Amino acid sequence: MVQIESARARSMNDTRSLILDVALEVLGRNPDAGMGDIASAAGVVRRTVYGHFPTRADLVRTLARRAVDEIVAVLTEINASNGEVEAVWVDFVAHLWPLAHRYRVLLALRRGEHGAEIHALLRPVDEILADLVRRGQDIGAFGRHLPAGLLGQMAYAAVFAIADEGRSDQTLDARAATITSLLLLGVPEPRARALVD
């Protein structure tokens, strides 16, 4: 009996993970896609999707939490390296790039009806980035043209924007995202290119 319950729980977790993965793809193509679209793409009935996520907002919230958990894990690991802030940023973008491709839909969703909630969920990411940018500003590595929090958000958002645009323009890659984000941070272009190279 315990084995049957364990197998059933594993199957439910697999279905939930499948729905989330498919939702990222479907919403990545069309941020306004409905639960029926996601169910169809996942090969399940709508009732199955609603069994795991009672509302579209629950699904979006779960996707955002998953993204935040992964991004915070990357940031915490990179930030703990105590390297030069510019090098830490370059490492961050290198590790963020695959996540930016997977979670690029958050850019569109962040501007939509769930924007306030997604902003709130992303607060830990914003705080860690603000701290990193502030450290860079304190030593003159990053510009002071904007407050640290806003500057970090803009440089980080640029990575996601480039990942989103990179679907159709293959020249927009991690290198382009890293250089662009460093430029936004106020790093001179020759230094930004040298850091990436």
Side-chain angles (χ1 to χ4, degrees), residues 153-173:
Q153 285 179 18
M154 290 182 67
Y156 155 77
V159 175
F160 278 86
I162 291 170
D164 189 42
E165 190 63 30
R167 291 180 302 154
S168 59
D169 183 347
Q170 299 303 315
T171 64
L172 296 175
D173 56 9

Side-chain angles (χ1 to χ4, degrees), residues 4-195:
I4 292 172
E5 290 297 320
S6 177
R8 188 174 298 144
R10 209 171 30 252
S11 175
M12 286 183 68
N13 285 338
D14 290 348
T15 301
R16 178 181 168 86
S17 292
L18 170 68
I19 291 167
L20 287 170
D21 290 341
V22 169
L24 278 174
E25 287 297 315
V26 171
L27 292 170
R29 288 190 302 271
N30 177 11
D32 297 322
M35 299 290 263
D37 299 320
I38 293 165
S40 178
V44 298
V45 296
R46 285 171 53 124
R47 185 174 60 238
T48 301
V49 176
Y50 282 110
H52 291 280
F53 308 100
T55 66
R56 187 174 184 277
D58 292 319
L59 176 66
V60 169
R61 190 178 308 115
T62 302
L63 289 173
R65 277 195 197 111
R66 184 200 241 188
V68 168
D69 289 346
E70 289 187 49
I71 294 167
V72 166
V74 165
L75 259 175
T76 302
E77 179 185 332
I78 300 294
N79 209 18
S81 70
N82 291 326
E84 291 182 14
V85 290
E86 296 161 308
V88 170
W89 186 272
V90 170
D91 284 347
F92 166 59
V93 175
H95 287 82
L96 177 65
W97 186 249
L99 300 179
H101 275 286
R102 187 162 54 236
Y103 294 114
R104 68 187 183 276
V105 68
L106 287 180
L107 271 186
L109 295 174
R110 196 173 185 172
R111 292 185 298 262
E113 65 182 295
H114 305 293
E117 191 170 4
I118 292 173
H119 275 287
L121 288 169
L122 288 169
R123 190 163 293 123
V125 174
D126 294 339
E127 289 171 358
I128 295 169
L129 288 177
D131 179 61
L132 177 61
V133 172
R134 198 171 297 109
R135 285 183 5 228
Q137 289 175 328
D138 288 347
I139 63 169
F142 296 153
R144 292 185 170 276
H145 49 288
L146 290 172
L150 180 57
L151 191 54
Q153 285 179 18
M154 290 182 67
Y156 155 77
V159 175
F160 278 86
I162 291 170
D164 189 42
E165 190 63 30
R167 291 180 302 154
S168 59
D169 183 347
Q170 299 303 315
T171 64
L172 296 175
D173 56 9
R175 184 175 192 280
T178 307
I179 290 170
T180 301
S181 64
L182 286 167
L183 293 173
L184 283 168
L185 290 168
V187 175
E189 186 174 354
R191 174 76 175 140
R193 291 186 182 281
L195 283 163

